[in-house]
Amino acid sequence: MLATDAYYLFSPFNLLLFLAPQKFLSQMVLVIIAAKIATVGLTSYYYWKQKIDNEFYALAASAAYALSGYTIANHFNLMWLDSVLLLPLLIDAINRVLEQKKNHLILITFLLWFTNFYTAYMALAFGLFYLLSKLFFFNKKERWPLFWEYLKKSMWGSFLDASMLLPVAVEMLQGKAASSATWSLGFQFAPYNELAKLADGAYDFHEMQEGMPNIYIALPFVLLAIFYFLSKKINWRHKLANGILLIFLVASLFWTPLVLIWHLGQFPVWYPGRFSFVLIFFALDLAIIALKQREKISFWQIGVLILLAIGLIVFITVDSKSFAFLNQNAQTASAAFLALGILFIGFIHNRSNFAAPFFCLIIELELIVNLVLSLNNLAYQNNADYQNFVQNTKQVTQYAKDHDDRLYRMEKTFYRSDDDPFSANYYGLSTFNSISNQRVLNLLSNLGFVNNSNSYTNYGSTPITDDLFGVKYYILPNDDITPLKANEQMKYSNSSNRIDTSDYDIVKRFEQLVLMKNDDTLPFLFLTPKSTTKVKFDSTDITGNQNKFFEAATGKQTQLFSSVTWPDPKLINISGWDGGWMQYTKKDKAKEGRVIFNFKPQTDNSYYLELPGNIDNDSINLTVNGNSINTDVRDQNSRLINLGSRQRGQTIHVVFTLKNNQLNLNAANLWCLNTKKLEQIMDKFKQKQPQFKQTSALTIHSNSFSTKKTETMNSTIPNSFNWLILDNGHIIHKNKIPFMNTFLNFKLNKGTHKITLIYVPWVFLIGIAISLLTLFLYLSIRK
C-alpha cells in the first residue's frame, strides 16, 4: 500500500478531500483537478515572467502549458499533474544553480519524488538533460563544481524521501519490473503521424487507449518554437545544444528504446507518451526565448514558416480519414490559428504596442477551442450513476460487516470499475493498480480471471475459486424491486453472468441489491495435509489450473471438471469448413450469420463455456437464453462463462452472432463442474479449520487449535518478507516455496497452536531512518 500511496495518493492537494463529506468525493476531485491545473499555470507563469519582461507573453505561455494536450489528456489522471506543476520550479532551481544563486533544488526534488515517483523520474531526467545542455557553455573549470552542486542537492532531496522510495523500489521489483518488455530498434508508429497531434482537438477515446503521445500546444507557439532555430540573434551553439535535446525528446515519442527508457522499462497501458509534458515545456521555453529576441522578421524567415504551416494543414487535411479526431472543426480551427500565428509573427510582433495583448488573446481563444473540441470527443459517466452505486453497495457491505466480523472476501456479479472494493469499502478480488503484485496477477491469469498487466477482475471465477479465495458473500442485483425513478436506479453494467451465485443462500434483500452467502468458503489461512510444492500451470488449461488449486489446498486428488460434448449446431447463413472442426464462414457477407447450440444438462451441476482470448466483442455477439453476454478481454486470456446451474432437463440456448466473416471455435470448450462433489469435500474440509480475525491494521490472530501431526498452514494472503509469524508467542519461519507460487505458508508441528501474524514494513522503517538521518545531517551541515 505504501507504493500505491506514493503513486496515487500523496499529493498535498488530496488534503482538500477532507473539507467535504465523502458523498461529495467526485465534486472534490473536480476541485482538485481545477486547483492543480491552475497551479500549473501559476508556477509556469512565475518561471516565464523571469525570462521575459512582458507579462502577456508569460501569461500566454503559462496558459498554453496549463491547458496543453498532456493536461487535457490526463486531467483525470490527477496523480500525474503534480510533476507538471513542479517542472517549471525544477528548471528554475537548476538555472539558479548554474547562476550560483540561492535555490530550492532540494525541496523541489523531494516534492517531485514524494507526490508521484513515476512522473518525478521523467521530470528529473529532463532536468538532468537540461543541465547537461547548459554546462556545455561553461568553461571546463566551472563544469564539475556546478554539476557537483546540482548532484549533491538532488541526492539530498532524494534521500529525504527514502521512506517512500525504498518501499516503491521493492514493490516495483516484485510487480511491474518483474515482467519483461520486448526491446527492439523499431518505431511504435510512423513518426510523421505525430504531426496530427499538433492539431486542435487532437484527442479522443482511441487516443486515450492506444493512440499517440499528446504534444498539443497552441499553434502560434509551435511556429515560434520553429522560429527559434531560424533566429539570427540566437547563437548557433545554443541552437545546436537545444536542437539535439529537442530531437532526443521528439524521438522518445516513437522510437521503442527511448519509449521504454522514459517509462521505466514498461510499455504504457493506455495514455501513451506520459513524459510528453517535458517536451511541451521545452518547446514553449524555446518559443519564449524567440519572443524575447524582439527580432525583425525577414522575408525568408516568414516564408519558411508559411511553407511549414501550409504543409501541416495539407497533412492534417489529407490524413484526416486516418484519425477520427481530425474532423472538419479541428481542421478549420487549426488552419485559422496557424494563419493568426503567421499574422502575428510576420506583421504584428515588434510593430505594434498591442502585439503582446493580441498574441495572448489568440492563444487563450485557441486553448478554449481546443479544450471544447477535445472534451467533446470524450464520454463521461453520470455522477448520479456513481452515487447510486456507492450508496447502495456500501449499504450492503456495511450490513455484512456489522453481522460478520471475521476475515472474508466479497464480490459482485456486476461492476462499475475495477476498483469497486475501494468505492464500496470491502475486500474484493478485483483491482486496478499500477503497483500490482506480479505473482498474484500471474496466478489469477492462469486461473482464467480477465486481467491485463495492471488490473484483474472477478470475471472468470467459479465456485472453486470462490471457496478457496474465501469469497464468502456475493452481491447480486435485486430483480424484484419496485420500479424507481430513473435517477435513483443502479446501473448493473459489466455483468459477469455468474448464474451459479444464485445457488448461494440469501442473507438479506435490499432495495436494489441482494446479499448472498457462500457457506463453503475457507478462511484466509487454512491447514492442508500436503507439503507445499511449486505448481506448474498450463496457461491454455484454466479448468486444469483451477483443479490444481483445489488439490493443493485440500489435498484431495479428484477431477471436478469434466468435458461436455458439443451438440450439433444450427447454422443460419453459415457454412462449416470442409475437414475443419468448429470452424465457420458466412455464406452471404452482407447478411447476419449465426451459429446456434442447444443442449440439455443431464445434471444440476454448473456448466461453463471456455472461450479463447481471440474471441471477444470485436468478433462476436454472444447470448445465452436470450441474455447478452459480455465477452470483453484485456490481454487475450481464456475465460469461463457460466451458462447455467441447476437446470437439469432445461434447454440452454447459446447463440454466436458473427461480426466478422469467419469464426473459429476449435479452441472453445464446454465444461461441467461437479458442484455436489465440491460442496461435499469443502464442507468436510472446512470443519477442521481454525478461525482468524484481524485485530488491528497490522495483526491477524487465530483461535487456539490443535494438530495431530505436522501440517502446512497455507493461505490466500500474498507472500511477503514483511510478515512476521508467531506460534504461541514464538517466531516461526515461512516456507521458501509460496503456496500456489504466490501465497504465504508455513509448517506447524503436532500440538496446540495459537497463530499471530504481524505485518512489519521493514523497508519503510529503514526508509524512515534514512530520511531522518538525512534531515539531521543536512541541518547539521547547514549550521
Side-chain angles (χ1 to χ4, degrees), residues 698 721-724 758-763 765:
L698 301 176
F721 61 82
N722 291 318
W723 282 111
L724 191 66
I758 305 173
Y759 193 86
V760 184
W762 301 109
V763 177
L765 297 177

Side-chain angles (χ1 to χ4, degrees), residues 125-384:
F126 172 72
L128 175 60
F129 299 144
Y130 178 85
L131 174 84
L132 294 176
S133 71
K134 300 302 178 187
L135 283 177
F136 174 77
F137 299 101
F138 289 83
N139 63 54
K140 292 182 179 179
K141 290 183 179 180
E142 293 179 296
R143 289 174 189 172
W144 172 247
L146 289 172
F147 182 75
W148 172 244
E149 181 68 12
Y150 158 82
L151 186 62
K152 181 174 61 177
K153 293 196 170 185
S154 296
M155 290 174 65
W156 280 118
S158 299
F159 277 97
L160 278 172
D161 198 47
S163 58
M164 283 296 99
L165 289 179
L166 278 181
V168 164
V170 170
E171 290 302 319
M172 289 292 287
L173 288 173
Q174 296 181 68
K176 277 202 161 189
S179 61
S180 59
T182 302
W183 290 73
S184 70
L185 296 178
F187 295 117
Q188 296 292 289
F189 52 86
Y192 59 83
N193 281 335
E194 186 66 27
L195 291 171
K197 300 295 287 185
L198 295 173
D200 289 292
Y203 194 59
D204 58 16
F205 185 79
H206 173 269
E207 293 301 299
M208 180 194 303
Q209 184 177 11
E210 53 186 358
M212 298 179 294
N214 300 288
I215 59 171
Y216 168 83
I217 57 176
L219 287 165
F221 272 120
V222 174
L223 295 173
L224 284 168
I226 296 171
F227 180 70
Y228 170 88
F229 296 99
L230 302 178
S231 173
K232 294 174 288 186
K233 284 190 174 183
I234 299 172
N235 187 284
W236 69 269
R237 291 186 301 170
H238 289 277
K239 292 181 187 178
L240 178 62
N242 287 326
I244 291 172
L245 181 53
L246 184 63
I247 291 170
F248 172 79
L249 294 175
V250 171
S252 300
L253 299 172
F254 43 75
W255 193 42
T256 298
L258 294 180
V259 171
L260 289 170
I261 288 171
W262 280 103
H263 297 92
L264 293 173
Q266 297 291 319
F267 290 113
V269 178
W270 289 42
Y271 306 102
R274 299 169 185 181
F275 73 97
S276 63
F277 67 95
V278 303
L279 171 59
I280 289 168
F281 176 83
F282 187 55
L284 287 168
D285 202 38
L286 296 180
I288 286 293
I289 295 172
L291 277 173
K292 187 180 178 181
Q293 304 310 307
R294 299 184 181 277
E295 182 175 343
K296 185 178 180 182
I297 312 298
S298 63
F299 178 78
W300 72 268
Q301 289 171 318
I302 195 64
V304 170
L305 292 179
I306 290 173
L307 287 175
L308 291 175
I310 292 172
L312 179 58
I313 286 300
V314 169
F315 174 81
I316 290 172
T317 304
V318 171
D319 216 31
S320 60
K321 293 182 180 179
S322 302
F323 304 100
F325 58 80
L326 289 179
N327 53 40
Q328 189 62 51
N329 289 333
Q331 295 174 47
T332 302
S334 300
F337 288 107
L338 277 172
L340 287 171
I342 293 292
L343 176 66
F344 168 78
I345 296 171
F347 305 101
I348 298 178
H349 181 46
N350 291 333
R351 298 184 182 184
S352 170
N353 293 331
F354 298 101
F358 172 79
F359 181 75
C360 186
L361 179 63
I362 62 172
I363 293 298
E364 299 286 356
L365 181 60
E366 182 181 359
L367 293 174
I368 293 171
V369 170
N370 176 67
L371 187 67
V372 171
L373 291 176
S374 298
L375 297 188
N376 279 347
N377 290 336
L378 303 178
Y380 290 84
Q381 294 188 25
N382 191 309
N383 185 50

Side-chain angles (χ1 to χ4, degrees), residues 8-145:
Y8 291 103
L9 298 174
F10 275 160
S11 169
F13 286 87
N14 288 342
L15 295 173
L16 293 171
L17 293 171
F18 295 102
L19 299 179
Q22 189 175 0
K23 66 180 180 179
F24 294 119
L25 175 64
S26 54
Q27 289 87 343
M28 291 308 296
V29 168
L30 176 61
V31 170
I32 290 173
I33 291 171
K36 286 192 177 186
I37 292 174
T39 311
V40 170
L42 181 64
T43 58
S44 55
Y45 177 79
Y46 165 78
Y47 172 78
W48 278 310
K49 186 65 177 71
Q50 297 178 77
K51 298 197 75 170
I52 191 165
D53 56 6
N54 191 302
E55 62 185 15
F56 284 105
Y57 291 140
L59 183 61
S62 64
Y65 182 58
L67 292 175
S68 67
Y70 178 90
T71 307
I72 291 172
N74 295 290
H75 68 278
F76 29 52
N77 290 321
L78 61 166
M79 70 279 185
W80 290 343
L81 297 181
D82 292 76
S83 294
V84 181
L85 68 90
L86 288 169
L87 179 62
L89 302 181
L90 173 68
I91 300 305
D92 178 64
I94 291 174
N95 286 336
R96 289 175 179 269
V97 168
L98 294 173
E99 296 166 3
Q100 300 184 47
K101 294 180 179 179
K102 182 180 178 180
N103 60 79
H104 299 290
L105 182 58
I106 295 174
L107 176 62
I108 300 304
T109 302
F110 170 79
L111 287 174
L112 277 164
W113 284 128
F114 185 79
T115 53
N116 187 278
F117 68 88
Y118 182 56
T119 50
Y121 157 76
M122 300 169 184
L124 291 167
F126 172 72
L128 175 60
F129 299 144
Y130 178 85
L131 174 84
L132 294 176
S133 71
K134 300 302 178 187
L135 283 177
F136 174 77
F137 299 101
F138 289 83
N139 63 54
K140 292 182 179 179
K141 290 183 179 180
E142 293 179 296
R143 289 174 189 172
W144 172 247

Side-chain angles (χ1 to χ4, degrees), residues 705-716:
F705 63 96
S706 300
T707 55
K708 297 180 179 179
K709 59 180 180 178
T710 299
E711 292 193 70
T712 301
M713 179 70 78
N714 285 321
S715 78
T716 52

